Every structure is written in C-alpha cells, then in structure tokens.
Amino acid sequence: MTKLLVVMGSGETTPTMIKPHRQFFDALRGEARAALLDTTYGFQLNADEISARAVGYFAQSVGRAVDVVSWRRTPAPGLDRERALAALRGANWIFAGPGSPTYALRQWRDTELPSLLVQADVLVFASAAALTLGSHTIPVYEIYKAGADPCWEPGLNLFEQLTGVPAVVIPHYDNAEGGHHDTRFCYLGEPRLAHLERELPDGTVIIGVDEHTALVCDLDARTATVLGNGTVTLRRQGRSTSYPSGTVLPLPTGERKGTFLTEYVEEGHLLNADADGAAGEAAAGSGDGGGPESRAGGGLAARRGAATLREAADEAEALFSTALAERDVDGCVAAVLELEQAITDWGADTLTSDSGEHAHGLLRGMIVRLGALAGTADPTPLLTPLVQALIGIREKAREQRDWAAADHVRDALAAASVELRDTPDGPVWLRTP
C-alpha cells in the first residue's frame, strides 16, 4: 500500500480530476474506507447541498462510495464527537475541499483531528483545505472579500510533518478570475504575496498549485509528482521555478530534510517523469492532465481541453457559431448537445462561481438562434411536391375551362409566396420574398 498526500489547487470535483482521483483510490490496493470532511464549508447555509454534490461526484464519476464526516463546528465532548473521531480513525482515504481555511482551522486546532489526518493512507486536501497544510495560512476571505490587511494565520503544518519540507501551500495559484486585476496566488496578487513572503521564516518554501492541478506526494517512495492541467511552482524570496504536469521531484530524506525544495527553487533542477518507482509510473499516464477518461461524457468541448465549465461553454458556443454561419443544422444541434453534456459533467463542481449561469445563458441563446435558423431554412424541397400537385389541379381546371378554379389556385399559391408563370413549355414557379 502506498501512503499519499495529495494537494489540489482546485477542481477537486470536476471532470478534469476524475482520473487522478481513481489513481489515488487505486493506491489503497484494497477496500477504500473513504471519509469526506465537511468543515471547510460548514458555515455555509448550503453545506448539505455541497456534501451531496461531492458524494454524488465520487459515486457517479469516480465509482467510489464516500461517507460524510460532519465536523462543522468543534463538537463538544460526547457521543457526536466520538462518532466523528471513530469515523476518521477508521478511514484510509480522507478528503476536504472548498470553503474558508481560517474557519476550518478554528474548528480543527487544539483537537484530536490533525493527528488523525496524518494517519490516513491517502489524504486529499484541495482549495481551502490545501491552504491549511502549511506552517502558515492565508486568510483568503478576510483579505480578498473583506479588505483585511495581508497577514498570515498559523497553519496545521502537516505538509512539513509528512514530507520534511517547511512550506506554505497556496492553491488557485494561476487564478485569472480578476480579468484586468491580479487575482493570482489564491486572490492575493503579486504585491500582497511579496509582502507576506518577507514575513516567512528563512527556509520556508511557497508551494503554488495551479487550478485543476495536483501535487501528489508519495511518502513511501519519497517523490512528488505533478498531475493535471497546470503547473506546480516552488517560490522562495521572490524566485520561482515552475514544473509542468508529469514532473517527478524527489522528496528529502535523512539529513537533507528541510533543504530539498530550497535547492530546487534556486537551481531549477528537474527529475523527469521517467524516474523509477510508483510516482514515475503515475506521472507517465498523466501528462495530458487526466486523459480522455477523466472527462465525464467525453464530449467535444471536454476533449478540446476545457479546464472549467466556462471554457467548455465558450468552446461549444464557438462550434455552434461556426455551424450556424455554414447553415449546418446538424452541427448546431451537436454543439447544443455538447454544451448540455458539459453542464451535466460539471454539475458536481463545489467551487462557487458564475460559470453555471454563463453556460445556461449560452445554451438558451443557442436554442433561440437555432430556432431562427430553422425558420429561415429554404423550404423549397418540402414545397415542391405540394406546389406541383396544385399546378396539376390548376391545369385540369384550365382544360375544363373552369377559369375561376384556376385563378383560385394561382391566388392561393401567391398568398404562400409562390409565383406561378405560364410559359410555352408549361407553367413554372418560384418563391418570392
């Protein structure tokens, strides 16, 4: 059995991470006793909904049953607390994800919980939970949402405890939601990160994990593998080195503990994905950010590499617009179905954003535009048999010198924008605007 610490930047319940999640469960090589810890989002009014979406994602997309362990507030001594602790002791796979890192730390600190987390065979911490792993934690909500001065909060320091590396973990490292203003580095931006970095103890390394990316630390093989769509960045004193998906870095051992990642920041060393050991094998199959199996539904938008629902929706809309310009009805319908599938695939995403509204808006617009195309499509192939039959009726009326009936057919055709012309070779017709 392999012991893993997995740090995810984001996208923990999206199609891009299905294949990595399956790899992490497979590392157990036996029965998975999986626990989802709900603390990070326990303060939210929709906490039950978030838990249900996550459980559904692991069941339907990853193929694993996961039980929710509720620790929304530090339980008082008693039955509820002991039940939660017993569930965590019995779990060999523990997961925590989005929400507020500082809220989670207030519920976890000075309890038995941190010591139980490090005992799990596979510990997967993503987004807000990943922020708690380092020696220091960014109070994201307080700084970005409420305007607090940049500062550190004490973290759990589990990353150093498990790997030997003194570090601060920053997920959402490549975030670009701000558009024209800098929201990289988990919404800090460069000026605030540079300010905070100067306050860290000497030797502390910042580990930045991009969105839809994971750093997989194999604690037995002493390797750290980059998986997913983005990169992992090691930063110290303003100097950064980034490592793409598929990279395998050795973790420190013995007297080298605490020095390794500093060396890799300063010297930019790489150990490529052909390295021996389980982590090398894991990286060999992951260079595409999860492979086609990792994208539920397997639609065109997903296969084109969309890392978010917004990107998948924009790609489907682009396919639709191209087909619409070519009056390709089948292509338009295919694009609509692709977008509908993408919305379904990303339905379990626990990250709060406006991507769902954006995708549904595009879908409604595509349907309206498709309806307009159908209304302007050339009806000539459908009209021809009907018009020819009416012309036949008119010709019989003329043969019988029933001029009123013949005129009635001509007028009916004219009302339907069909002009009938008598020529020496017989009647011909054409559509009029």
Side-chain angles (χ1 to χ4, degrees):
M1 181 181 295
T2 301
K3 189 174 178 66
L4 301 179
L5 169 62
V6 180
V7 183
M8 284 189 176
S10 77
E12 55 272 4
T13 54
T14 64
T16 57
M17 286 297 166
I18 293 174
K19 184 175 180 181
H21 277 304
R22 289 174 179 167
Q23 291 179 354
F24 309 149
F25 274 106
D26 289 344
L28 296 172
R29 299 181 183 177
E31 180 185 0
R33 302 181 303 278
L36 185 157
L37 194 55
D38 67 359
T39 316
T40 51
Y41 55 85
F43 63 96
Q44 296 182 208
L45 295 179
N46 66 337
D48 288 336
E49 178 187 344
I50 295 173
S51 293
R53 289 207 308 266
V55 169
Y57 168 84
F58 284 108
Q60 298 165 19
S61 299
V62 183
R64 297 285 185 161
V66 174
D67 295 324
V68 177
V69 176
S70 189
W71 193 284
R72 297 184 185 180
R73 289 185 178 275
T74 306
L79 183 58
D80 288 342
R81 185 187 185 102
E82 293 306 319
R83 280 175 174 166
L85 293 173
L88 292 172
R89 288 190 189 98
N92 55 8
W93 179 99
I94 298 177
F95 170 88
S100 166
T102 47
Y103 178 84
L105 287 169
R106 288 197 299 272
Q107 315 312 317
W108 292 344
R109 194 177 283 116
D110 301 323
T111 73
E112 306 94 322
L113 195 139
S115 63
L116 295 180
L117 294 177
V118 298
Q119 294 175 21
D121 294 315
V122 176
L123 180 64
V124 183
F125 267 32
S127 299
L131 280 159
T132 70
L133 290 171
S135 60
H136 297 69
T137 297
I138 301 168
V140 177
Y141 275 57
E142 294 85 342
I143 295 174
Y144 184 63
K145 296 292 187 181
D149 291 335
C151 63
W152 294 109
E153 293 284 342
L156 297 178
N157 206 27
L158 299 186
F159 193 91
E160 181 176 10
Q161 183 177 339
L162 290 169
T163 68
V165 177
V168 166
V169 176
I170 301 183
H172 298 280
Y173 203 71
D174 63 340
N175 183 272
E177 290 181 22
H180 296 297
H181 68 276
D182 189 1
T183 55
R184 293 172 298 162
F185 320 136
C186 201
Y187 306 94
L188 282 179
E190 176 61 35
R192 285 182 289 200
L193 178 59
H195 169 79
L196 287 173
E197 187 176 24
R198 291 191 290 269
E199 299 179 0
L200 291 174
D202 291 342
T204 302
V205 176
I206 291 174
I207 301 177
V209 185
D210 286 354
E211 298 181 333
H212 300 275
T213 306
L215 179 66
V216 185
C217 300
D218 187 323
L219 304 178
D220 296 323
R222 306 304 298 171
T223 56
T225 303
V226 183
L227 299 180
N229 289 349
T231 66
V232 167
T233 300
L234 305 182
R235 171 170 170 152
R236 181 173 176 269
Q237 297 178 349
R239 299 181 60 182
S240 299
T241 304
S242 295
Y243 299 96
S245 182
T247 300
V248 181
L249 301 169
L251 289 171
T253 57
E255 68 275 4
R256 296 189 67 218
K257 282 193 175 184
T259 65
F260 165 76
L261 289 185
T262 298
E263 295 174 3
Y264 270 66
V265 173
E266 293 177 349
E267 299 179 22
H269 291 167
L270 284 178
L271 178 65
N272 69 33
D274 293 328
D276 293 335
E281 295 172 4
S286 64
D288 65 350
E293 300 94 337
S294 72
R295 293 166 170 85
L300 281 175
R303 289 197 297 269
R304 287 162 65 91
T308 65
L309 175 57
R310 178 178 287 271
E311 289 184 13
D314 290 342
E315 289 176 4
E317 203 277 338
L319 292 174
F320 179 90
S321 295
T322 299
L324 186 69
E326 297 172 353
R327 305 181 72 82
D328 177 6
V329 176
D330 288 344
C332 289
V333 172
V336 170
L337 295 177
E338 291 292 343
L339 179 51
E340 189 277 334
Q341 183 63 56
I343 291 172
T344 299
D345 293 344
W346 290 82
D349 189 3
T350 52
L351 181 64
T352 301
S353 73
D354 64 350
S355 294
E357 295 178 6
H358 176 74
H360 280 101
L362 290 182
L363 180 62
R364 290 190 291 270
M366 289 161 66
I367 292 172
V368 170
R369 293 159 67 192
L370 182 58
L373 174 62
T376 59
D378 184 4
T380 300
L382 297 176
L383 287 175
T384 297
L386 178 59
V387 172
Q388 293 292 6
L390 290 173
I391 289 176
I393 293 173
R394 178 174 178 270
E395 289 301 297
K396 282 188 177 182
R398 293 181 69 188
E399 289 173 1
Q400 297 170 3
R401 306 180 74 81
D402 186 351
W403 309 118
D407 289 343
H408 180 72
V409 171
R410 177 190 288 273
D411 293 339
L413 289 172
S417 300
V418 176
E419 180 182 353
L420 193 61
R421 295 178 181 176
D422 294 314
T423 72
D425 297 323
V428 297
W429 64 279
L430 69 156
R431 293 189 63 245
T432 57

